[in-house]
Amino acid sequence: MATKEEIVAGLADIVNEIAGIPTEDVQLDKSFTDDLDVDSLSMVEVVVAAEEQFSVKIPDDDVKNLKTVGDAVDYILKAQA
Amino acid sequence: MTAKINPSKGAPHARIVGVGGYRPVRVVPNEVILEHIDSSDEWIRSRSGIASRHWAGPEETVAEMSIEAAGKAIADAGIDASDIDAVVVATVSHFKQTPAVATEIAHRIGAGKPAAFDISAGCAGFTYGLTLGKGMITDGTAGHVLVIGVERLSDLTDKEDRATAFLFGDGAGAVVLGPSKEAAIGPTVWGSEGDKSQTITQTVAWDEFRSGDVSQLPVDSKGEVKFPAITQEGQAVFRWAVYEMARVAQEALDAAGITSADLDAFIPHQANMRIIDSMIKALKLPEHVAVARDVETTGNTSAASIPLAMERLLASGAAKSGDTALIIGFGAGLVYAATVVTLP
């Protein structure tokens, strides 16, 4: 199971890979769409990559609730438990 | 008494022997779409890769566009229209359900009295039709089969919906299938996922629309009941199209006994450039494979998109006759179908 810090670092790498955002910009309070320029389709790619990396399931209905990096980290932490 | 029945005798294999397309005269750039929605050319291009699409005029009916595309495919095949034994038309936007439009097309191209029928399989319609046609030829019920994908999706587009107004286009694509000594159409990997039927659907059924009930039905900016349109859950469709369809595409390669390194061309349903780009990544397609990107100037034409993209890829010189291509259709149903073909 990944720790909170590992999840943040993992998400930062994923967002960097998919949207080209510098990893240091991927902070808990950042909004995917407003701050990180991750649009709705890129968000799907981020989610699928995160599912694979952290061995969790994030259904489509839950994706829209993941507004910030912190939302995603909390979701993955809970889903891992 | 059980009588002995003659078996049907088909050709050993089938192949695509000709392809043709018809795009309506009117080109509709994103600026025209933006007259009705609050968006931008940059937003539309970044989400879909679409710069323009063709919308049919009143004279460019489903039948007329099909006849144009069929004429080119028959000429490309070098056969006579009277050699066609079956006409299969895939469409979701022919508004007169009875009779099937295939019979009018068959008659007007001079095919005589071939078997003729329409099928409804959304954006997988062309690949479904190709699969049926191949079966007819190898079964012996037809020598040559005309398979047409045709849509007037502008009639089923909500021009005020910023999520879909820019997506759809009109047009017709056709192929002629004929007998072959070698396998030139691989096994089709196909199926449906009816549990996801709501992810791409018509907003309102025709019988509900007929009620005209303003209190129950969606209304436009003028307060009038909206004509039924195609709507979709963008993120759910994107995830399914990219990741599930990459798996189906790989299964089609496996079924054909080849790998992506053996491909010359990839002709996916032209739904959205982002889906195409992500599928390429998910499939790890080698760089030498020519990829059809007709969606940029044709939009999403549902059942018509694969033959239109095939024709353009060949006409541009990016692919040539005899090349090996992977085709995959996927869409409302949800339905999908993928196979490997030798290009005409």
Side-chain angles (χ1 to χ4, degrees), chain B residues 25-45:
Chain B
V25 174
R26 184 185 173 206
V27 175
V28 178
N30 288 343
E31 292 73 56
V32 173
I33 305 294
L34 293 167
E35 291 169 10
H36 305 285
I37 56 169
D38 177 22
S39 189
S40 70
D41 180 49
E42 192 277 331
W43 193 95
I44 293 172
R45 285 176 191 250

Side-chain angles (χ1 to χ4, degrees), chain B residues 36-37 155-162 164-165 202-206 208-210 212-214 216-231:
Chain B
H36 305 285
I37 56 169
D155 291 336
L156 287 171
T157 297
D158 179 351
K159 310 282 195 302
E160 296 181 351
D161 176 13
R162 68 189 303 273
T164 58
Q202 186 169 314
T203 48
V204 175
W206 296 116
E208 291 173 70
F209 174 67
R210 189 170 58 173
D213 186 346
V214 182
Q216 298 292 325
L217 298 168
V219 292
D220 64 17
S221 55
K222 292 176 194 144
E224 289 167 11
V225 173
K226 279 185 177 179
F227 196 74
I230 297 169
T231 182

